[in-house]
Amino acid sequence: MVTSLNVDTARLQEDLELEGEIEFETIVEIALREYIQRRKQPQNLELSFGESLACIS
């Protein structure tokens, strides 16, 4: 699938410097995987401990 993205070039440049020799598409793929992993993390904690983090104060 081909998609057009508007990306902050400063952030892209920073990531390219951190990752070294890597393609733009790979950076986007890594970012999406990390985003999805973070979004699922509270859900995984809820399943593991039986209560939502929102209930803990």
Side-chain angles (χ1 to χ4, degrees):
M1 176 171 74
V2 176
T3 303
S4 177
L5 298 173
N6 291 323
V7 179
D8 182 341
T9 55
R11 289 180 193 255
L12 179 58
Q13 184 60 41
E14 183 178 7
D15 198 32
L16 286 169
E17 290 170 5
L18 291 171
E19 294 292 337
E21 297 294 322
I22 192 169
E23 303 243 347
F24 172 74
E25 291 84 3
T26 306
I27 290 173
V28 172
E29 180 68 28
I30 291 169
L32 284 171
R33 287 178 191 220
E34 289 178 0
Y35 173 80
I36 291 167
Q37 184 179 21
R38 277 195 318 267
R39 298 287 292 191
K40 287 183 175 181
Q41 191 171 11
Q43 181 180 20
N44 290 342
L45 288 174
E46 182 176 341
L47 294 174
S48 298
F49 298 106
E51 60 183 87
S52 174
L53 292 176
C55 296
I56 301 172
S57 325

